[in-house]
Amino acid sequence: MEPSKHSPAKQFTLVTKSYLPDLARCELLVESAQRCSPGLKHHLIIDHRDIPHFRHLADRATIITSEDLLPWWVKQVPGRRSVWLSLRSRPTRGWIMQQVLKIAAASQIGADVSVFCDSDVAFIRPFSTSQIIAGESVALLDVEFVNEEVQRWTTVAAALLGLDAATLPMRGHVGNLICWRQENVAAMISRIETVSGVDWRVALMRQPTFSEYILYGVHTRAVLGYDSSGQHPSAAPLVKVSWGVDMHDETAFDEFFTSFEPATVAVMVHSKDGIDPARYRRRLEGIWATGS
């Protein structure tokens, strides 16, 4: 493994990729971040077509247009939110582009550490950078959870990074409040371009599937090595997630918002659960008011 020099992380920012169908959730996230972490910067990545709907959040978060993070040769198909065109690769699904945009943002916005959280996350308790750093090292989600998707994404990441997937331990890096160091992102981009021989965005846009979090996690632990990356593995339950919970069941819904581990600072109510954010806003307001 090649050692990587790293400097102390001084500037942190939340980064959220959102779009019009998640506007109400994003509004709640921004409000909760202001309540629970008022000194932490927040960047929103929004497609140009959706900017007018998000502009009212500009006094509380920095809005970046997706297109400004991408090269001129990548364009969104007019009238087709889920398809992007490139002169250098095949048409790319919106899900793939969301991941490309996260990597682009972390490499371009100038923060030492980007803390990714999706629109369906909402903070419930005070959150500070002291909860994700140890000395000069920043936490990186690294857990034992592995399913078929994680296995597939790890294999793709190994190929992109020039590693032997057969010798690579499978680990989970997908979650919420995921921390990336800018210098490690730059090193990952360079590695992808060296291995693939093409622009990193082209290499990723050619993939039928991949995970940005698995890709970064594999690069950090298997290419840089934790000791040289300025990050350390963490399984701290910072976010309570609704995965596997029937949020339409009143009892399950009540229990979800009444029991939290000491380390938990946020909840994630998945957008696919189909729960109106106004419904759980009342629960959040109660938590904010009591501080528990």
Side-chain angles (χ1 to χ4, degrees), residues 143-168:
V143 296
E144 294 182 356
F145 174 78
V146 175
N147 58 15
E148 290 184 2
E149 283 189 323
V150 170
Q151 293 175 343
R152 182 165 58 252
W153 291 332
T154 301
T155 299
V156 172
L160 287 165
L161 298 170
L163 303 173
D164 182 0
T167 63
L168 189 64

Side-chain angles (χ1 to χ4, degrees), residues 59-71:
D59 62 336
R60 290 173 285 172
T62 300
I63 297 177
I64 305 174
T65 303
S66 300
E67 287 80 353
D68 288 342
L69 293 171
L70 297 171

Side-chain angles (χ1 to χ4, degrees), residues 48-241:
H48 182 268
R49 67 177 67 181
D50 291 340
I51 290 292
H53 303 280
F54 285 82
R55 192 168 286 130
H56 65 288
L57 298 176
D59 62 336
R60 290 173 285 172
T62 300
I63 297 177
I64 305 174
T65 303
S66 300
E67 287 80 353
D68 288 342
L69 293 171
L70 297 171
W72 63 269
W73 42 267
V74 180
K75 302 291 183 183
Q76 193 171 33
V77 177
R80 295 286 302 279
R81 184 182 299 279
S82 61
V83 180
W84 292 73
L85 294 180
S86 164
L87 298 177
R88 304 183 186 182
S89 66
R90 62 187 180 186
T92 304
R93 291 176 296 154
W95 180 63
I96 295 292
M97 287 307 303
Q98 288 178 29
Q99 300 179 78
V100 171
L101 283 163
K102 290 179 184 179
I103 297 171
S107 69
Q108 295 180 43
I109 59 180
D112 297 316
V113 177
S114 293
V115 183
F116 290 97
C117 60
D118 291 336
S119 298
D120 43 15
V121 170
F123 288 91
I124 59 172
R125 292 170 174 164
F127 172 64
S128 71
T129 57
S130 65
Q131 292 160 281
I132 53 175
I133 59 175
E136 295 181 1
S137 180
V138 179
L140 177 64
L141 181 68
D142 186 330
V143 296
E144 294 182 356
F145 174 78
V146 175
N147 58 15
E148 290 184 2
E149 283 189 323
V150 170
Q151 293 175 343
R152 182 165 58 252
W153 291 332
T154 301
T155 299
V156 172
L160 287 165
L161 298 170
L163 303 173
D164 182 0
T167 63
L168 189 64
M170 297 283 176
R171 302 290 297 173
H173 302 285
V174 179
N176 303 275
L177 294 185
I178 304 299
C179 306
W180 289 1
R181 294 187 67 117
Q182 183 185 40
E183 55 199 348
N184 293 347
V185 174
M188 180 180 73
I189 287 173
S190 177
R191 176 86 176 200
I192 293 171
E193 293 186 334
T194 298
V195 171
S196 67
V198 297
D199 184 280
W200 68 273
R201 290 153 294 204
V202 174
L204 296 182
M205 291 170 68
R206 288 175 177 174
Q207 303 300 319
T209 185
F210 81 96
S211 164
E212 77 281 37
Y213 295 141
I214 295 293
L215 179 61
Y216 181 91
V218 169
H219 180 266
T220 299
R221 61 183 167 88
V223 177
L224 298 178
Y226 277 121
D227 289 344
S228 299
S229 69
Q231 297 204 241
H232 59 273
S234 173
L238 294 175
V239 183
K240 183 176 183 178
V241 301

